[in-house]
Amino acid sequence: MIDDGPAYKLLLQRAVKRFELDLRDWPWPPTRAIGDWGTYWQVRFEDTLFRVGLGVRKLIEAAKLSVEVQQRPINVTFLPVRKDFYPGVTDQHHIEKFYDTEAAHPDQLPVLLLCHAIVHSHVLVPRFGGSAHSGLRLEDFYLASDRGRKKGVYLIDWRTFVDELVHVVASDDVVELFVRRLPNGEELRIPSSSHWSMDSRDRAVGLYRSLSQGNAKSVDNFMKEWREAYGLPPHSEGMV
């Protein structure tokens, strides 16, 4: 689906740069949107964020993003839900009503799960700031997926998102594609930014498996069939 991983990654980075330049140097919306300034930049923010979130997901599906970047932890702040009372479609922007800002604490999300939350976002609220000197800027944003909103919401610094995710994705260099194949043609493909020796490839599978609960289930099922197909014993540490 994606023929040139490096070019696609650079286009994602370019989209973010274009958004930041427009926000800083020309914050006035087009004439047709002049009466709804806030909505215009909300839409520009969502468009840019979804380009990155969906783009990273597509890179992962095409095995064009290394497993090292997929699991890279991004620093975020987590605000737990106040009680069993969750935001709906029309009131998801009332953060303090649903989430305990005083109980906020540092947390980390792997790149894979952060982009998954963007694609399936229910709460997505940007916070803008600025001055006559610096111009308009995006400071941070609240994010929670449809399922995640029942536990809490993440506050993500925009500069952290750009520096630790967007720039890292754009500079990612896949140097090896480790493939295991079943007799029926099904494949497990693990892209990597480093070369794995024959003896360390089980560790590459373990790294890929640990990315998410969904990854663990699918990798376990695949490896069980793979070992059975080639007459190998089950993994001694439970990674079947």
Side-chain angles (χ1 to χ4, degrees), residues 37-62:
W37 179 89
T39 299
Y40 173 78
W41 282 112
Q42 171 80 28
V43 171
R44 285 288 306 273
F45 158 72
E46 291 182 2
D47 175 72
T48 303
L49 200 66
F50 275 104
R51 283 174 185 265
V52 175
L54 188 58
V56 169
R57 287 282 300 273
K58 291 297 183 183
L59 284 166
I60 292 172
E61 291 172 7

mmCIF file with all atom_site columns, all heavy atoms in Angstrom, residues 37-62:
data_model
loop_
_atom_site.group_PDB
_atom_site.id
_atom_site.type_symbol
_atom_site.label_atom_id
_atom_site.label_alt_id
_atom_site.label_comp_id
_atom_site.label_asym_id
_atom_site.label_entity_id
_atom_site.label_seq_id
_atom_site.pdbx_PDB_ins_code
_atom_site.Cartn_x
_atom_site.Cartn_y
_atom_site.Cartn_z
_atom_site.occupancy
_atom_site.B_iso_or_equiv
_atom_site.pdbx_formal_charge
_atom_site.auth_seq_id
_atom_site.auth_comp_id
_atom_site.auth_asym_id
_atom_site.auth_atom_id
_atom_site.pdbx_PDB_model_num
ATOM 1   N N   . TRP A 1 37 ? -13.546 31.515 13.962 1.00 0.00 ? 37 TRP A N   1
ATOM 2   C CA  . TRP A 1 37 ? -12.102 31.365 14.079 1.00 0.00 ? 37 TRP A CA  1
ATOM 3   C C   . TRP A 1 37 ? -11.723 30.104 14.856 1.00 0.00 ? 37 TRP A C   1
ATOM 4   O O   . TRP A 1 37 ? -10.851 29.347 14.463 1.00 0.00 ? 37 TRP A O   1
ATOM 5   C CB  . TRP A 1 37 ? -11.551 32.610 14.755 1.00 0.00 ? 37 TRP A CB  1
ATOM 6   C CG  . TRP A 1 37 ? -10.075 32.623 14.986 1.00 0.00 ? 37 TRP A CG  1
ATOM 7   C CD1 . TRP A 1 37 ? -9.126  33.082 14.133 1.00 0.00 ? 37 TRP A CD1 1
ATOM 8   C CD2 . TRP A 1 37 ? -9.377  32.176 16.147 1.00 0.00 ? 37 TRP A CD2 1
ATOM 9   N NE1 . TRP A 1 37 ? -7.871  32.957 14.690 1.00 0.00 ? 37 TRP A NE1 1
ATOM 10  C CE2 . TRP A 1 37 ? -7.998  32.404 15.931 1.00 0.00 ? 37 TRP A CE2 1
ATOM 11  C CE3 . TRP A 1 37 ? -9.782  31.612 17.354 1.00 0.00 ? 37 TRP A CE3 1
ATOM 12  C CZ2 . TRP A 1 37 ? -7.030  32.084 16.874 1.00 0.00 ? 37 TRP A CZ2 1
ATOM 13  C CZ3 . TRP A 1 37 ? -8.816  31.279 18.297 1.00 0.00 ? 37 TRP A CZ3 1
ATOM 14  C CH2 . TRP A 1 37 ? -7.467  31.522 18.056 1.00 0.00 ? 37 TRP A CH2 1
ATOM 15  N N   . GLY A 1 38 ? -12.404 29.880 15.983 1.00 0.00 ? 38 GLY A N   1
ATOM 16  C CA  . GLY A 1 38 ? -12.091 28.737 16.831 1.00 0.00 ? 38 GLY A CA  1
ATOM 17  C C   . GLY A 1 38 ? -12.304 27.410 16.131 1.00 0.00 ? 38 GLY A C   1
ATOM 18  O O   . GLY A 1 38 ? -11.461 26.506 16.205 1.00 0.00 ? 38 GLY A O   1
ATOM 19  N N   . THR A 1 39 ? -13.420 27.287 15.423 1.00 0.00 ? 39 THR A N   1
ATOM 20  C CA  . THR A 1 39 ? -13.706 26.040 14.714 1.00 0.00 ? 39 THR A CA  1
ATOM 21  C C   . THR A 1 39 ? -12.696 25.784 13.609 1.00 0.00 ? 39 THR A C   1
ATOM 22  O O   . THR A 1 39 ? -12.287 24.645 13.379 1.00 0.00 ? 39 THR A O   1
ATOM 23  C CB  . THR A 1 39 ? -15.127 26.075 14.128 1.00 0.00 ? 39 THR A CB  1
ATOM 24  O OG1 . THR A 1 39 ? -16.063 26.211 15.198 1.00 0.00 ? 39 THR A OG1 1
ATOM 25  C CG2 . THR A 1 39 ? -15.440 24.805 13.363 1.00 0.00 ? 39 THR A CG2 1
ATOM 26  N N   . TYR A 1 40 ? -12.275 26.844 12.928 1.00 0.00 ? 40 TYR A N   1
ATOM 27  C CA  . TYR A 1 40 ? -11.311 26.681 11.842 1.00 0.00 ? 40 TYR A CA  1
ATOM 28  C C   . TYR A 1 40 ? -10.036 26.029 12.348 1.00 0.00 ? 40 TYR A C   1
ATOM 29  O O   . TYR A 1 40 ? -9.533  25.051 11.756 1.00 0.00 ? 40 TYR A O   1
ATOM 30  C CB  . TYR A 1 40 ? -10.990 28.039 11.211 1.00 0.00 ? 40 TYR A CB  1
ATOM 31  C CG  . TYR A 1 40 ? -9.873  27.977 10.182 1.00 0.00 ? 40 TYR A CG  1
ATOM 32  C CD1 . TYR A 1 40 ? -10.121 27.504 8.902  1.00 0.00 ? 40 TYR A CD1 1
ATOM 33  C CD2 . TYR A 1 40 ? -8.581  28.376 10.515 1.00 0.00 ? 40 TYR A CD2 1
ATOM 34  C CE1 . TYR A 1 40 ? -9.095  27.422 7.957  1.00 0.00 ? 40 TYR A CE1 1
ATOM 35  C CE2 . TYR A 1 40 ? -7.552  28.309 9.582  1.00 0.00 ? 40 TYR A CE2 1
ATOM 36  C CZ  . TYR A 1 40 ? -7.811  27.828 8.306  1.00 0.00 ? 40 TYR A CZ  1
ATOM 37  O OH  . TYR A 1 40 ? -6.800  27.747 7.385  1.00 0.00 ? 40 TYR A OH  1
ATOM 38  N N   . TRP A 1 41 ? -9.469  26.532 13.450 1.00 0.00 ? 41 TRP A N   1
ATOM 39  C CA  . TRP A 1 41 ? -8.219  25.974 13.947 1.00 0.00 ? 41 TRP A CA  1
ATOM 40  C C   . TRP A 1 41 ? -8.413  24.635 14.640 1.00 0.00 ? 41 TRP A C   1
ATOM 41  O O   . TRP A 1 41 ? -7.514  23.804 14.657 1.00 0.00 ? 41 TRP A O   1
ATOM 42  C CB  . TRP A 1 41 ? -7.506  26.978 14.854 1.00 0.00 ? 41 TRP A CB  1
ATOM 43  C CG  . TRP A 1 41 ? -6.826  28.025 14.031 1.00 0.00 ? 41 TRP A CG  1
ATOM 44  C CD1 . TRP A 1 41 ? -7.152  29.342 13.939 1.00 0.00 ? 41 TRP A CD1 1
ATOM 45  C CD2 . TRP A 1 41 ? -5.731  27.821 13.133 1.00 0.00 ? 41 TRP A CD2 1
ATOM 46  N NE1 . TRP A 1 41 ? -6.327  29.975 13.035 1.00 0.00 ? 41 TRP A NE1 1
ATOM 47  C CE2 . TRP A 1 41 ? -5.436  29.064 12.533 1.00 0.00 ? 41 TRP A CE2 1
ATOM 48  C CE3 . TRP A 1 41 ? -4.968  26.710 12.774 1.00 0.00 ? 41 TRP A CE3 1
ATOM 49  C CZ2 . TRP A 1 41 ? -4.427  29.229 11.594 1.00 0.00 ? 41 TRP A CZ2 1
ATOM 50  C CZ3 . TRP A 1 41 ? -3.956  26.865 11.844 1.00 0.00 ? 41 TRP A CZ3 1
ATOM 51  C CH2 . TRP A 1 41 ? -3.686  28.112 11.266 1.00 0.00 ? 41 TRP A CH2 1
ATOM 52  N N   . GLN A 1 42 ? -9.598  24.407 15.186 1.00 0.00 ? 42 GLN A N   1
ATOM 53  C CA  . GLN A 1 42 ? -9.910  23.078 15.711 1.00 0.00 ? 42 GLN A CA  1
ATOM 54  C C   . GLN A 1 42 ? -9.867  22.046 14.576 1.00 0.00 ? 42 GLN A C   1
ATOM 55  O O   . GLN A 1 42 ? -9.291  20.969 14.711 1.00 0.00 ? 42 GLN A O   1
ATOM 56  C CB  . GLN A 1 42 ? -11.297 23.087 16.363 1.00 0.00 ? 42 GLN A CB  1
ATOM 57  C CG  . GLN A 1 42 ? -11.848 21.708 16.756 1.00 0.00 ? 42 GLN A CG  1
ATOM 58  C CD  . GLN A 1 42 ? -11.282 21.191 18.055 1.00 0.00 ? 42 GLN A CD  1
ATOM 59  O OE1 . GLN A 1 42 ? -10.915 21.966 18.919 1.00 0.00 ? 42 GLN A OE1 1
ATOM 60  N NE2 . GLN A 1 42 ? -11.240 19.872 18.208 1.00 0.00 ? 42 GLN A NE2 1
ATOM 61  N N   . VAL A 1 43 ? -10.471 22.405 13.442 1.00 0.00 ? 43 VAL A N   1
ATOM 62  C CA  . VAL A 1 43 ? -10.485 21.504 12.290 1.00 0.00 ? 43 VAL A CA  1
ATOM 63  C C   . VAL A 1 43 ? -9.070  21.310 11.734 1.00 0.00 ? 43 VAL A C   1
ATOM 64  O O   . VAL A 1 43 ? -8.685  20.180 11.384 1.00 0.00 ? 43 VAL A O   1
ATOM 65  C CB  . VAL A 1 43 ? -11.437 22.036 11.203 1.00 0.00 ? 43 VAL A CB  1
ATOM 66  C CG1 . VAL A 1 43 ? -11.302 21.229 9.916  1.00 0.00 ? 43 VAL A CG1 1
ATOM 67  C CG2 . VAL A 1 43 ? -12.877 21.996 11.702 1.00 0.00 ? 43 VAL A CG2 1
ATOM 68  N N   . ARG A 1 44 ? -8.292  22.390 11.631 1.00 0.00 ? 44 ARG A N   1
ATOM 69  C CA  . ARG A 1 44 ? -6.914  22.259 11.144 1.00 0.00 ? 44 ARG A CA  1
ATOM 70  C C   . ARG A 1 44 ? -6.100  21.355 12.056 1.00 0.00 ? 44 ARG A C   1
ATOM 71  O O   . ARG A 1 44 ? -5.290  20.545 11.595 1.00 0.00 ? 44 ARG A O   1
ATOM 72  C CB  . ARG A 1 44 ? -6.259  23.642 11.050 1.00 0.00 ? 44 ARG A CB  1
ATOM 73  C CG  . ARG A 1 44 ? -6.727  24.499 9.878  1.00 0.00 ? 44 ARG A CG  1
ATOM 74  C CD  . ARG A 1 44 ? -6.199  23.977 8.539  1.00 0.00 ? 44 ARG A CD  1
ATOM 75  N NE  . ARG A 1 44 ? -4.760  23.812 8.506  1.00 0.00 ? 44 ARG A NE  1
ATOM 76  C CZ  . ARG A 1 44 ? -3.892  24.780 8.184  1.00 0.00 ? 44 ARG A CZ  1
ATOM 77  N NH1 . ARG A 1 44 ? -4.337  25.988 7.856  1.00 0.00 ? 44 ARG A NH1 1
ATOM 78  N NH2 . ARG A 1 44 ? -2.591  24.531 8.155  1.00 0.00 ? 44 ARG A NH2 1
ATOM 79  N N   . PHE A 1 45 ? -6.293  21.521 13.372 1.00 0.00 ? 45 PHE A N   1
ATOM 80  C CA  . PHE A 1 45 ? -5.594  20.670 14.338 1.00 0.00 ? 45 PHE A CA  1
ATOM 81  C C   . PHE A 1 45 ? -5.994  19.206 14.157 1.00 0.00 ? 45 PHE A C   1
ATOM 82  O O   . PHE A 1 45 ? -5.136  18.322 14.083 1.00 0.00 ? 45 PHE A O   1
ATOM 83  C CB  . PHE A 1 45 ? -5.932  21.138 15.762 1.00 0.00 ? 45 PHE A CB  1
ATOM 84  C CG  . PHE A 1 45 ? -5.722  20.084 16.818 1.00 0.00 ? 45 PHE A CG  1
ATOM 85  C CD1 . PHE A 1 45 ? -4.439  19.702 17.195 1.00 0.00 ? 45 PHE A CD1 1
ATOM 86  C CD2 . PHE A 1 45 ? -6.806  19.471 17.432 1.00 0.00 ? 45 PHE A CD2 1
ATOM 87  C CE1 . PHE A 1 45 ? -4.247  18.729 18.171 1.00 0.00 ? 45 PHE A CE1 1
ATOM 88  C CE2 . PHE A 1 45 ? -6.616  18.494 18.397 1.00 0.00 ? 45 PHE A CE2 1
ATOM 89  C CZ  . PHE A 1 45 ? -5.330  18.120 18.771 1.00 0.00 ? 45 PHE A CZ  1
ATOM 90  N N   . GLU A 1 46 ? -7.287  18.928 14.081 1.00 0.00 ? 46 GLU A N   1
ATOM 91  C CA  . GLU A 1 46 ? -7.755  17.550 13.933 1.00 0.00 ? 46 GLU A CA  1
ATOM 92  C C   . GLU A 1 46 ? -7.260  16.940 12.633 1.00 0.00 ? 46 GLU A C   1
ATOM 93  O O   . GLU A 1 46 ? -6.837  15.777 12.601 1.00 0.00 ? 46 GLU A O   1
ATOM 94  C CB  . GLU A 1 46 ? -9.282  17.509 14.000 1.00 0.00 ? 46 GLU A CB  1
ATOM 95  C CG  . GLU A 1 46 ? -9.851  17.831 15.372 1.00 0.00 ? 46 GLU A CG  1
ATOM 96  C CD  . GLU A 1 46 ? -11.358 17.735 15.410 1.00 0.00 ? 46 GLU A CD  1
ATOM 97  O OE1 . GLU A 1 46 ? -11.961 17.383 14.360 1.00 0.00 ? 46 GLU A OE1 1
ATOM 98  O OE2 . GLU A 1 46 ? -11.948 18.006 16.478 1.00 0.00 ? 46 GLU A OE2 1
ATOM 99  N N   . ASP A 1 47 ? -7.299  17.719 11.548 1.00 0.00 ? 47 ASP A N   1
ATOM 100 C CA  . ASP A 1 47 ? -6.836  17.224 10.254 1.00 0.00 ? 47 ASP A CA  1
ATOM 101 C C   . ASP A 1 47 ? -5.357  16.832 10.327 1.00 0.00 ? 47 ASP A C   1
ATOM 102 O O   . ASP A 1 47 ? -4.957  15.769 9.838  1.00 0.00 ? 47 ASP A O   1
ATOM 103 C CB  . ASP A 1 47 ? -7.041  18.297 9.187  1.00 0.00 ? 47 ASP A CB  1
ATOM 104 C CG  . ASP A 1 47 ? -6.471  17.897 7.838  1.00 0.00 ? 47 ASP A CG  1
ATOM 105 O OD1 . ASP A 1 47 ? -7.065  17.017 7.185  1.00 0.00 ? 47 ASP A OD1 1
ATOM 106 O OD2 . ASP A 1 47 ? -5.426  18.455 7.452  1.00 0.00 ? 47 ASP A OD2 1
ATOM 107 N N   . THR A 1 48 ? -4.538  17.683 10.949 1.00 0.00 ? 48 THR A N   1
ATOM 108 C CA  . THR A 1 48 ? -3.107  17.408 11.063 1.00 0.00 ? 48 THR A CA  1
ATOM 109 C C   . THR A 1 48 ? -2.844  16.195 11.943 1.00 0.00 ? 48 THR A C   1
ATOM 110 O O   . THR A 1 48 ? -2.038  15.320 11.607 1.00 0.00 ? 48 THR A O   1
ATOM 111 C CB  . THR A 1 48 ? -2.376  18.631 11.643 1.00 0.00 ? 48 THR A CB  1
ATOM 112 O OG1 . THR A 1 48 ? -2.627  19.773 10.816 1.00 0.00 ? 48 THR A OG1 1
ATOM 113 C CG2 . THR A 1 48 ? -0.877  18.384 11.720 1.00 0.00 ? 48 THR A CG2 1
ATOM 114 N N   . LEU A 1 49 ? -3.537  16.133 13.081 1.00 0.00 ? 49 LEU A N   1
ATOM 115 C CA  . LEU A 1 49 ? -3.324  15.030 14.020 1.00 0.00 ? 49 LEU A CA  1
ATOM 116 C C   . LEU A 1 49 ? -3.750  13.698 13.409 1.00 0.00 ? 49 LEU A C   1
ATOM 117 O O   . LEU A 1 49 ? -3.056  12.682 13.565 1.00 0.00 ? 49 LEU A O   1
ATOM 118 C CB  . LEU A 1 49 ? -4.095  15.292 15.315 1.00 0.00 ? 49 LEU A CB  1
ATOM 119 C CG  . LEU A 1 49 ? -3.616  14.497 16.538 1.00 0.00 ? 49 LEU A CG  1
ATOM 120 C CD1 . LEU A 1 49 ? -2.210  14.937 16.944 1.00 0.00 ? 49 LEU A CD1 1
ATOM 121 C CD2 . LEU A 1 49 ? -4.572  14.664 17.710 1.00 0.00 ? 49 LEU A CD2 1
ATOM 122 N N   . PHE A 1 50 ? -4.872  13.694 12.699 1.00 0.00 ? 50 PHE A N   1
ATOM 123 C CA  . PHE A 1 50 ? -5.339  12.447 12.088 1.00 0.00 ? 50 PHE A CA  1
ATOM 124 C C   . PHE A 1 50 ? -4.423  12.008 10.942 1.00 0.00 ? 50 PHE A C   1
ATOM 125 O O   . PHE A 1 50 ? -4.260  10.808 10.695 1.00 0.00 ? 50 PHE A O   1
ATOM 126 C CB  . PHE A 1 50 ? -6.777  12.580 11.593 1.00 0.00 ? 50 PHE A CB  1
ATOM 127 C CG  . PHE A 1 50 ? -7.791  12.314 12.670 1.00 0.00 ? 50 PHE A CG  1
ATOM 128 C CD1 . PHE A 1 50 ? -8.475  13.353 13.271 1.00 0.00 ? 50 PHE A CD1 1
ATOM 129 C CD2 . PHE A 1 50 ? -8.048  11.021 13.100 1.00 0.00 ? 50 PHE A CD2 1
ATOM 130 C CE1 . PHE A 1 50 ? -9.386  13.112 14.280 1.00 0.00 ? 50 PHE A CE1 1
ATOM 131 C CE2 . PHE A 1 50 ? -8.969  10.767 14.098 1.00 0.00 ? 50 PHE A CE2 1
ATOM 132 C CZ  . PHE A 1 50 ? -9.645  11.813 14.702 1.00 0.00 ? 50 PHE A CZ  1
ATOM 133 N N   . ARG A 1 51 ? -3.829  12.954 10.225 1.00 0.00 ? 51 ARG A N   1
ATOM 134 C CA  . ARG A 1 51 ? -2.858  12.592 9.191  1.00 0.00 ? 51 ARG A CA  1
ATOM 135 C C   . ARG A 1 51 ? -1.708  11.800 9.809  1.00 0.00 ? 51 ARG A C   1
ATOM 136 O O   . ARG A 1 51 ? -1.256  10.791 9.257  1.00 0.00 ? 51 ARG A O   1
ATOM 137 C CB  . ARG A 1 51 ? -2.308  13.844 8.505  1.00 0.00 ? 51 ARG A CB  1
ATOM 138 C CG  . ARG A 1 51 ? -3.234  14.485 7.502  1.00 0.00 ? 51 ARG A CG  1
ATOM 139 C CD  . ARG A 1 51 ? -2.637  15.783 6.994  1.00 0.00 ? 51 ARG A CD  1
ATOM 140 N NE  . ARG A 1 51 ? -3.550  16.488 6.127  1.00 0.00 ? 51 ARG A NE  1
ATOM 141 C CZ  . ARG A 1 51 ? -3.543  16.404 4.809  1.00 0.00 ? 51 ARG A CZ  1
ATOM 142 N NH1 . ARG A 1 51 ? -2.643  15.641 4.201  1.00 0.00 ? 51 ARG A NH1 1
ATOM 143 N NH2 . ARG A 1 51 ? -4.410  17.096 4.083  1.00 0.00 ? 51 ARG A NH2 1
ATOM 144 N N   . VAL A 1 52 ? -1.233  12.277 10.961 1.00 0.00 ? 52 VAL A N   1
ATOM 145 C CA  . VAL A 1 52 ? -0.123  11.601 11.627 1.00 0.00 ? 52 VAL A CA  1
ATOM 146 C C   . VAL A 1 52 ? -0.572  10.261 12.203 1.00 0.00 ? 52 VAL A C   1
ATOM 147 O O   . VAL A 1 52 ? 0.052   9.225  11.973 1.00 0.00 ? 52 VAL A O   1
ATOM 148 C CB  . VAL A 1 52 ? 0.467   12.484 12.742 1.00 0.00 ? 52 VAL A CB  1
ATOM 149 C CG1 . VAL A 1 52 ? 1.535   11.720 13.518 1.00 0.00 ? 52 VAL A CG1 1
ATOM 150 C CG2 . VAL A 1 52 ? 1.052   13.761 12.159 1.00 0.00 ? 52 VAL A CG2 1
ATOM 151 N N   . GLY A 1 53 ? -1.675  10.260 12.959 1.00 0.00 ? 53 GLY A N   1
ATOM 152 C CA  . GLY A 1 53 ? -2.130  9.036  13.593 1.00 0.00 ? 53 GLY A CA  1
ATOM 153 C C   . GLY A 1 53 ? -2.455  7.938  12.605 1.00 0.00 ? 53 GLY A C   1
ATOM 154 O O   . GLY A 1 53 ? -1.980  6.800  12.730 1.00 0.00 ? 53 GLY A O   1
ATOM 155 N N   . LEU A 1 54 ? -3.231  8.278  11.583 1.00 0.00 ? 54 LEU A N   1
ATOM 156 C CA  . LEU A 1 54 ? -3.589  7.287  10.571 1.00 0.00 ? 54 LEU A CA  1
ATOM 157 C C   . LEU A 1 54 ? -2.388  6.925  9.717  1.00 0.00 ? 54 LEU A C   1
ATOM 158 O O   . LEU A 1 54 ? -2.209  5.758  9.331  1.00 0.00 ? 54 LEU A O   1
ATOM 159 C CB  . LEU A 1 54 ? -4.727  7.823  9.702  1.00 0.00 ? 54 LEU A CB  1
ATOM 160 C CG  . LEU A 1 54 ? -5.355  6.838  8.713  1.00 0.00 ? 54 LEU A CG  1
ATOM 161 C CD1 . LEU A 1 54 ? -5.912  5.618  9.439  1.00 0.00 ? 54 LEU A CD1 1
ATOM 162 C CD2 . LEU A 1 54 ? -6.458  7.522  7.903  1.00 0.00 ? 54 LEU A CD2 1
ATOM 163 N N   . GLY A 1 55 ? -1.531  7.910  9.433  1.00 0.00 ? 55 GLY A N   1
ATOM 164 C CA  . GLY A 1 55 ? -0.342  7.640  8.628  1.00 0.00 ? 55 GLY A CA  1
ATOM 165 C C   . GLY A 1 55 ? 0.597   6.665  9.306  1.00 0.00 ? 55 GLY A C   1
ATOM 166 O O   . GLY A 1 55 ? 1.133   5.749  8.665  1.00 0.00 ? 55 GLY A O   1
ATOM 167 N N   . VAL A 1 56 ? 0.803   6.834  10.608 1.00 0.00 ? 56 VAL A N   1
ATOM 168 C CA  . VAL A 1 56 ? 1.665   5.912  11.348 1.00 0.00 ? 56 VAL A CA  1
ATOM 169 C C   . VAL A 1 56 ? 1.046   4.517  11.361 1.00 0.00 ? 56 VAL A C   1
ATOM 170 O O   . VAL A 1 56 ? 1.739   3.515  11.197 1.00 0.00 ? 56 VAL A O   1
ATOM 171 C CB  . VAL A 1 56 ? 1.905   6.422  12.779 1.00 0.00 ? 56 VAL A CB  1
ATOM 172 C CG1 . VAL A 1 56 ? 2.564   5.346  13.641 1.00 0.00 ? 56 VAL A CG1 1
ATOM 173 C CG2 . VAL A 1 56 ? 2.779   7.673  12.753 1.00 0.00 ? 56 VAL A CG2 1
ATOM 174 N N   . ARG A 1 57 ? -0.263  4.452  11.541 1.00 0.00 ? 57 ARG A N   1
ATOM 175 C CA  . ARG A 1 57 ? -0.927  3.158  11.509 1.00 0.00 ? 57 ARG A CA  1
ATOM 176 C C   . ARG A 1 57 ? -0.735  2.465  10.153 1.00 0.00 ? 57 ARG A C   1
ATOM 177 O O   . ARG A 1 57 ? -0.509  1.255  10.077 1.00 0.00 ? 57 ARG A O   1
ATOM 178 C CB  . ARG A 1 57 ? -2.420  3.329  11.796 1.00 0.00 ? 57 ARG A CB  1
ATOM 179 C CG  . ARG A 1 57 ? -2.771  3.648  13.245 1.00 0.00 ? 57 ARG A CG  1
ATOM 180 C CD  . ARG A 1 57 ? -2.703  2.401  14.118 1.00 0.00 ? 57 ARG A CD  1
ATOM 181 N NE  . ARG A 1 57 ? -3.637  1.402  13.641 1.00 0.00 ? 57 ARG A NE  1
ATOM 182 C CZ  . ARG A 1 57 ? -4.914  1.349  14.009 1.00 0.00 ? 57 ARG A CZ  1
ATOM 183 N NH1 . ARG A 1 57 ? -5.407  2.257  14.847 1.00 0.00 ? 57 ARG A NH1 1
ATOM 184 N NH2 . ARG A 1 57 ? -5.704  0.401  13.538 1.00 0.00 ? 57 ARG A NH2 1
ATOM 185 N N   . LYS A 1 58 ? -0.817  3.223  9.067  1.00 0.00 ? 58 LYS A N   1
ATOM 186 C CA  . LYS A 1 58 ? -0.620  2.662  7.732  1.00 0.00 ? 58 LYS A CA  1
ATOM 187 C C   . LYS A 1 58 ? 0.830   2.204  7.538  1.00 0.00 ? 58 LYS A C   1
ATOM 188 O O   . LYS A 1 58 ? 1.090   1.169  6.912  1.00 0.00 ? 58 LYS A O   1
ATOM 189 C CB  . LYS A 1 58 ? -0.999  3.685  6.659  1.00 0.00 ? 58 LYS A CB  1
ATOM 190 C CG  . LYS A 1 58 ? -2.486  3.979  6.579  1.00 0.00 ? 58 LYS A CG  1
ATOM 191 C CD  . LYS A 1 58 ? -3.265  2.732  6.189  1.00 0.00 ? 58 LYS A CD  1
ATOM 192 C CE  . LYS A 1 58 ? -4.740  3.024  6.025  1.00 0.00 ? 58 LYS A CE  1
ATOM 193 N NZ  . LYS A 1 58 ? -5.508  1.787  5.710  1.00 0.00 ? 58 LYS A NZ  1
ATOM 194 N N   . LEU A 1 59 ? 1.778   2.973  8.062  1.00 0.00 ? 59 LEU A N   1
ATOM 195 C CA  . LEU A 1 59 ? 3.176   2.562  7.995  1.00 0.00 ? 59 LEU A CA  1
ATOM 196 C C   . LEU A 1 59 ? 3.400   1.246  8.726  1.00 0.00 ? 59 LEU A C   1
ATOM 197 O O   . LEU A 1 59 ? 4.126   0.367  8.257  1.00 0.00 ? 59 LEU A O   1
ATOM 198 C CB  . LEU A 1 59 ? 4.072   3.646  8.604  1.00 0.00 ? 59 LEU A CB  1
ATOM 199 C CG  . LEU A 1 59 ? 4.313   4.892  7.752  1.00 0.00 ? 59 LEU A CG  1
ATOM 200 C CD1 . LEU A 1 59 ? 4.915   6.000  8.598  1.00 0.00 ? 59 LEU A CD1 1
ATOM 201 C CD2 . LEU A 1 59 ? 5.232   4.569  6.569  1.00 0.00 ? 59 LEU A CD2 1
ATOM 202 N N   . ILE A 1 60 ? 2.759   1.105  9.879  1.00 0.00 ? 60 ILE A N   1
ATOM 203 C CA  . ILE A 1 60 ? 2.890   -0.130 10.652 1.00 0.00 ? 60 ILE A CA  1
ATOM 204 C C   . ILE A 1 60 ? 2.285   -1.300 9.889  1.00 0.00 ? 60 ILE A C   1
ATOM 205 O O   . ILE A 1 60 ? 2.883   -2.383 9.801  1.00 0.00 ? 60 ILE A O   1
ATOM 206 C CB  . ILE A 1 60 ? 2.228   0.031  12.032 1.00 0.00 ? 60 ILE A CB  1
ATOM 207 C CG1 . ILE A 1 60 ? 3.026   1.038  12.885 1.00 0.00 ? 60 ILE A CG1 1
ATOM 208 C CG2 . ILE A 1 60 ? 2.125   -1.309 12.746 1.00 0.00 ? 60 ILE A CG2 1
ATOM 209 C CD1 . ILE A 1 60 ? 2.355   1.404  14.183 1.00 0.00 ? 60 ILE A CD1 1
ATOM 210 N N   . GLU A 1 61 ? 1.109   -1.097 9.311  1.00 0.00 ? 61 GLU A N   1
ATOM 211 C CA  . GLU A 1 61 ? 0.452   -2.162 8.552  1.00 0.00 ? 61 GLU A CA  1
ATOM 212 C C   . GLU A 1 61 ? 1.281   -2.579 7.342  1.00 0.00 ? 61 GLU A C   1
ATOM 213 O O   . GLU A 1 61 ? 1.271   -3.746 6.941  1.00 0.00 ? 61 GLU A O   1
ATOM 214 C CB  . GLU A 1 61 ? -0.937  -1.700 8.099  1.00 0.00 ? 61 GLU A CB  1
ATOM 215 C CG  . GLU A 1 61 ? -1.930  -1.540 9.237  1.00 0.00 ? 61 GLU A CG  1
ATOM 216 C CD  . GLU A 1 61 ? -3.230  -0.895 8.781  1.00 0.00 ? 61 GLU A CD  1
ATOM 217 O OE1 . GLU A 1 61 ? -3.394  -0.699 7.560  1.00 0.00 ? 61 GLU A OE1 1
ATOM 218 O OE2 . GLU A 1 61 ? -4.068  -0.581 9.642  1.00 0.00 ? 61 GLU A OE2 1
ATOM 219 N N   . ALA A 1 62 ? 2.018   -1.629 6.754  1.00 0.00 ? 62 ALA A N   1
ATOM 220 C CA  . ALA A 1 62 ? 2.841   -1.913 5.587  1.00 0.00 ? 62 ALA A CA  1
ATOM 221 C C   . ALA A 1 62 ? 4.248   -2.373 5.957  1.00 0.00 ? 62 ALA A C   1
ATOM 222 O O   . ALA A 1 62 ? 5.080   -2.572 5.073  1.00 0.00 ? 62 ALA A O   1
ATOM 223 C CB  . ALA A 1 62 ? 2.925   -0.669 4.700  1.00 0.00 ? 62 ALA A CB  1
#
